[in-house]
Amino acid sequence: METNGIERKTTGMEGDPDLQFLLKGGDLLKVRSPSWKKTRFFKLQEDCKTMWRESKKTFKTSQTFPIDDISAVRMGRQSEGLRKHTEEQVESRCFSIMFKGRRKNLDLIACSEDEARQWVKSLQKLVSNINSLDRQQTREHWIYNCLRKADKNKDDKLSQSEVKNFLKLINVELDDDYAEMLFKECDKSQSGYLSGEEIEHFYDLLTHREEIDVIYGEYAKTTGFMSPENLVEFLMKEQREKASLADAHRIIQTYEPDEHAKEMKLLSKDGFVMYAHHPEAMVLNAEHKEVYQDMHQPLNHYFISSSHNTYLLEDQLKGPSSTEAYVRALLKSCRCVELDCWDGSDDEPVIYHGYTLTSKILFKDAIKAIQQYAFKTSQYPVTLSLENHCSVEQQAVMAQHMRSILGSALVVSPLGDGMPADFPSPEELKGKFLIKGKRLNKLEDFFSDEAATLGDSNVTEEEESDDDDEEEKGKSKKKLKLAKELSDMVIYCKSVHFNGFEDARTNLSFYEMSSFKEGKAKKLAEGSANAYVRHNIGKLSRIYPAGSRTDSSNYNPVPMWNAGCQMVALNFQTSCSDMDVNQGRFLVNGRSGYILKPAWMRSSASDFDPITLTRGAWLQLKTLHVMVISGQQLPKVTQKKSSIVDPLVRVEVWGVPADVSEKETSYVENNGFNPTWNSTFQFDVCVPELALVRFVVEDYDSTSHNEFVGQYTLPFSSLKMGYRHVPLLNKNGDLLRSAGLFVHIMVVDAE
């Protein structure tokens, strides 16, 4: 089956020398430990989307991995494995392939620096090109790859049995009679197999979207095409968008694949499908993908994406600690990371989960990783939350490492002149690091003679914070000795014990903040909701999971956000619905990791209570109408050939208790390729500014729990109305490229 040209076109790299380099392949040294370094032959397969590697043993073994699984390719000894297992002199020949999800990095050494750079450049270009494919190109890319796999004897033809094999690969189980009928309809030559145009016809029949035909047909009123006027009518009437003829001309110029139609200023059905699959036309408001909120408000006026025990890759008892865990969290726009610091050997502090068997990493290595990756996804400030168990001597080492590695990006004095009365804004703190931890004295002393009286006395005794799991570990509260060098770095986030809302209001300065265990926070959010909301208008709060969550499970962050808590820290390494919702909350505003709280959560006179919902500006009663129309290319949960998905869709609303609701479709039997539901749901939403909408696809199982297929969560206020495609993410939060839902959304004021 001659699909090579198609594959290379769909990667956007036809004839590219970097692509040719990857297709030719070469030997690389794979590194696992100081003693395990073995040669492997790596080569890009002809489909241009799969890497193949082969061992050099007598009995050769080979493995493959999809290019789409690569999250990054990094030059040099940047990975933990290469730093630990190789010498500095091979730095220029080293590179690492980092994967999405929990898959381990691939650490490699090339024969020369030039060859290493060529591998990195070529792979980065291929990954970038595949990531930039639109959904229609991705669809073609995937379908042709499945056609190739189905052609077992590689004769560029499909027999009837190969067609059945192809249908299973694309997750469709057809009745034998229907499959035979479809085959015969396409087998115009009556040869008993499909080739050339017959395969194209077969593909067209399979990918036909009746729902698109109906919508397009209603507005294609100009000789079977959409004119600019027809398109404006569709955009305004169905999609509820403000649209002009200029917008319609831009869409036709951008998305119409037929040059003749483009010259005639008409949009064909193919062009309409291309536009409908583009991000600007999907369910998430494209304007919200950029930073669109006011970033000049004080720091405590934002929800801040936050991580708990960031250094862990797995559970809290015996799992590995890794600098890679910090990299992953930061690349997901996390803006508050935790460092659990303990005395290490050779006067070097280490990070691990104390009193457990989790492995250890050097504090300085974590700071280096944070410095390198903090501002790749977002330019807005990162807070380092220190859980400090170190001796005074090693605290001084911590301070020294942070000063030398973070340099001028580390905030070590208040911004501006004189004692501040409020937090600076995320905009003012762009590219900066804040330290959250204990401080010997008040920040006001920074500007008084009292600071001088401390002199060089770098030890004092301070009650240890209940920042984390001391009570769960059975440790009684004790006095902690603090190094002045470390204490002086705590400017805007001084950790203090919480002694009640009245005490906080009368005795604490704006920069003094408390951490709350999830159980305590939940009680306050339910029993003293308005008091908690008001507390969080003037102060910062951090919430963290209970120590009993040794499996690194998470809690629902929504009730904490409803109470105005800013730093709701979750275990980023754990895939679950709570983490999905967290990712959905911070999906918008440029993935900055900062979401501006509603105005009525920033006013000191706020009467907002998420439990009682008395009347106020927060009550904006809306009715959400969702029609789940169809699905496209939903992946198999297991990779067994016989396994076909029986998909159902659940639509969930997360928010204040009165808004929490979920409704689901029936399941479609044996069809993950193009299932149709046409199910309509209605939700009443009281506080839309705090609500999130989650679309979940599951594989129905009558004998046990349904299996997760994919999901997508976004803020209610970022929904686009009309006919929209919904992308789907896998359990690790990565995009399922070919998969999606087609829905109709309408939001109206409730009567």
Side-chain angles (χ1 to χ4, degrees), residues 393-407:
E393 292 74 21
Q394 293 209 14
Q395 287 178 44
V397 175
M398 286 167 59
Q400 182 186 339
H401 284 323
M402 288 193 288
R403 273 191 184 275
S404 62
I405 296 167
L406 303 179

Side-chain angles (χ1 to χ4, degrees), residues 31-134:
V31 179
R32 276 191 186 165
S33 72
S35 58
W36 199 103
K37 297 183 177 79
K38 297 188 180 178
T39 302
R40 296 286 184 265
F41 181 76
F42 285 81
K43 178 181 184 292
L44 181 66
Q45 292 192 312
E46 286 296 319
D47 66 0
C48 296
K49 62 181 288 187
T50 311
M51 281 300 290
W52 178 77
R53 71 173 186 261
E54 183 182 65
S55 71
K56 294 288 182 177
K57 299 175 189 171
T58 309
F59 301 103
K60 293 184 178 181
T61 58
S62 64
Q63 288 180 298
T64 62
F65 61 85
I67 295 294
D68 196 38
D69 282 359
I70 298 175
S71 66
V73 185
R74 301 182 195 153
M75 188 72 193
R77 294 165 65 244
Q78 289 195 44
S79 74
E80 207 167 342
L82 284 173
R83 283 198 301 271
K84 196 182 291 183
H85 305 317
T86 62
E87 302 299 323
E88 279 188 35
Q89 54 262 40
V90 297
E91 171 87 34
S92 62
R93 291 164 46 207
C94 292
F95 68 97
S96 297
I97 297 174
M98 319 317 244
F99 294 100
K100 298 170 183 174
R102 293 189 177 187
R103 186 171 178 169
K104 287 183 179 175
N105 305 335
L106 198 51
D107 292 329
L108 303 165
I109 303 178
C111 295
S112 67
E113 179 178 350
D114 287 346
E115 191 174 318
R117 290 191 180 282
Q118 181 66 62
W119 275 104
V120 171
K121 178 190 170 195
S122 302
L123 283 169
Q124 285 177 339
K125 184 187 282 190
L126 181 59
V127 169
S128 173
N129 274 271
I130 286 178
N131 285 343
S132 65
L133 294 180
D134 64 37

Side-chain angles (χ1 to χ4, degrees), residues 167-168 170-174 206 644 670-674:
L167 291 170
K168 282 188 175 174
I170 64 171
N171 210 359
V172 174
E173 187 168 287
L174 287 184
L206 268 181
I644 303 291
N670 288 331
N671 186 356
F673 184 73
N674 56 2

Side-chain angles (χ1 to χ4, degrees), residues 644-658:
I644 303 291
V645 172
D646 300 330
L648 61 82
V649 178
R650 188 169 58 255
V651 183
E652 304 170 349
V653 175
W654 297 56
V656 298

Side-chain angles (χ1 to χ4, degrees), residues 381-566:
V382 171
T383 299
L384 309 186
S385 181
L386 302 182
E387 192 184 332
N388 178 12
H389 305 273
C390 288
S391 63
V392 168
E393 292 74 21
Q394 293 209 14
Q395 287 178 44
V397 175
M398 286 167 59
Q400 182 186 339
H401 284 323
M402 288 193 288
R403 273 191 184 275
S404 62
I405 296 167
L406 303 179
S408 60
L410 181 63
V411 174
V412 292
S413 62
L415 273 58
D417 299 321
M419 177 61 199
D422 206 347
F423 291 97
S425 69
E427 193 66 34
E428 290 174 286
L429 291 166
K430 256 186 174 179
K432 298 291 187 183
F433 294 97
L434 303 176
I435 304 300
K436 173 190 168 294
K438 282 293 183 182
R439 185 181 169 91
L440 295 173
N441 54 359
K442 288 265 192 182
L443 189 60
E444 287 82 350
D445 296 336
F446 193 92
F447 300 94
S448 71
D449 294 336
E450 191 175 329
T453 64
L454 284 169
D456 295 326
S457 166
N458 73 328
V459 181
T460 192
E461 293 203 328
E462 181 83 10
E463 182 184 298
E464 186 164 351
S465 132
D466 60 350
D467 256 14
D468 248 322
D469 307 323
E470 289 304 311
E471 289 175 79
E472 281 88 0
K473 293 168 190 166
K475 304 289 287 183
S476 59
K477 289 199 178 107
K478 59 180 185 289
K479 298 291 184 179
L480 174 71
K481 292 184 176 180
L482 276 179
K484 183 175 182 298
E485 300 96 313
L486 190 61
S487 164
D488 286 350
M489 290 179 168
V490 176
I491 306 298
Y492 291 112
C493 301
K494 177 184 176 182
S495 299
V496 297
H497 184 68
F498 179 71
N499 292 311
F501 294 126
E502 182 60 35
D503 174 76
R505 186 166 57 253
T506 55
N507 297 324
L508 297 184
S509 299
F510 75 90
Y511 58 85
E512 293 179 302
M513 63 175 292
S514 300
S515 289
F516 303 83
K517 209 181 308 170
E518 63 170 282
K520 186 172 185 178
K522 189 169 183 285
K523 282 180 184 174
L524 292 171
E526 290 174 353
S528 309
N530 179 249
Y532 213 177
V533 168
R534 289 193 178 202
H535 173 82
N536 289 318
I537 288 164
K539 309 279 190 303
L540 280 168
S541 289
R542 177 177 175 270
I543 318 300
Y544 60 90
S548 56
R549 294 184 182 273
T550 54
D551 58 351
S552 291
S553 60
N554 279 309
Y555 56 94
N556 180 0
V558 174
M560 313 309 172
W561 291 327
N562 292 344
C565 300
Q566 299 88 347

